[in-house]
């Protein structure tokens, strides 16, 4: 199975801010690049093409040497609701007054149940 990585648009790219190349993600997790690619295939992370030679991942998705708690489940729910990777990034990084802030900020703050509940509502 080959890894399909979306090309990101300028607007979404700017919403995200800081990015990490997949090799750096692997290094932080103590994984080979192949194992890091598996995180993308398994939808534990989202990686996109930004013009460089390898996929890049939003830096905020990384908490120390692991993925931000609640992110993989949220990505699964968004995928099940029909969101592609770029749409999921847009949703995660767009401010939501009811949270307040962006869903990714709530995930980082440990409010993953609240974020997942909102993501589940998108499918209905």
């Amino acid at each position: 199975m080959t890894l399909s990585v979306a090309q990101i648009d300028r607007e979404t790219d700017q919403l995200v801010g800081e990015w990490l190349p997949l090799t750096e993600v692997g290094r932080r997790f103590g994984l080979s690049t192949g194992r890091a690619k598996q995180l993308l295939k398994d939808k534990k992370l989202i990686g996109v093409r930004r013009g460089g030679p390898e996929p890049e991942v939003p830096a905020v998705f990384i908490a120390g040497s692991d993925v931000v708690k609640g992110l993989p489940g949220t990505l699964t729910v968004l995928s099940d609701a029909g969101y592609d990777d770029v749409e999921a990034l847009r949703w995660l990084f767009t401010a939501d007054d009811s949270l307040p802030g962006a869903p990714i900020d709530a995930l980082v703050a440990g409010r993953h149940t609240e974020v997942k509940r909102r993501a589940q509502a998108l499918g209905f």
Side-chain angles (χ1 to χ4, degrees), residues 22-43:
L22 193 58
T23 51
E24 175 61 19
V25 172
R27 189 188 68 70
R28 290 185 185 196
F29 290 173
L31 300 173
S32 67
T33 302
R35 291 277 187 199
K37 283 182 183 175
Q38 191 64 45
L39 293 172
L40 300 180
K41 287 180 187 174
D42 294 344
K43 298 287 186 192

Side-chain angles (χ1 to χ4, degrees), residues 1-59:
M1 181 175 160
T2 59
L3 180 62
S4 174
V5 179
Q7 181 73 38
I8 194 161
D9 61 277
R10 183 182 178 108
E11 182 180 326
T12 306
D13 189 8
Q14 290 176 341
L15 274 176
V16 173
E18 186 183 352
W19 296 86
L20 296 172
L22 193 58
T23 51
E24 175 61 19
V25 172
R27 189 188 68 70
R28 290 185 185 196
F29 290 173
L31 300 173
S32 67
T33 302
R35 291 277 187 199
K37 283 182 183 175
Q38 191 64 45
L39 293 172
L40 300 180
K41 287 180 187 174
D42 294 344
K43 298 287 186 192
K44 305 244 185 272
L45 290 172
I46 294 176
V48 296
R49 298 266 179 219
R50 297 182 61 240
E54 65 179 305
E56 294 187 43
V57 173

Side-chain angles (χ1 to χ4, degrees), residues 60-118:
V60 71
F61 285 1
I62 311 306
S65 61
D66 206 354
V67 177
V68 166
K69 186 172 180 176
L71 179 65
T74 302
L75 294 177
T76 298
V77 170
L78 291 171
S79 178
D80 290 350
Y83 280 53
D84 66 25
D85 287 351
V86 174
E87 291 167 334
L89 284 172
R90 243 184 260 129
W91 185 82
L92 284 165
F93 285 88
T94 299
D96 178 342
D97 291 339
S98 69
L99 277 172
I104 189 61
D105 299 328
L107 284 175
V108 170
R111 298 190 338 255
H112 44 88
T113 304
E114 190 177 349
V115 172
K116 200 180 296 185
R117 209 173 301 130
R118 280 180 173 71

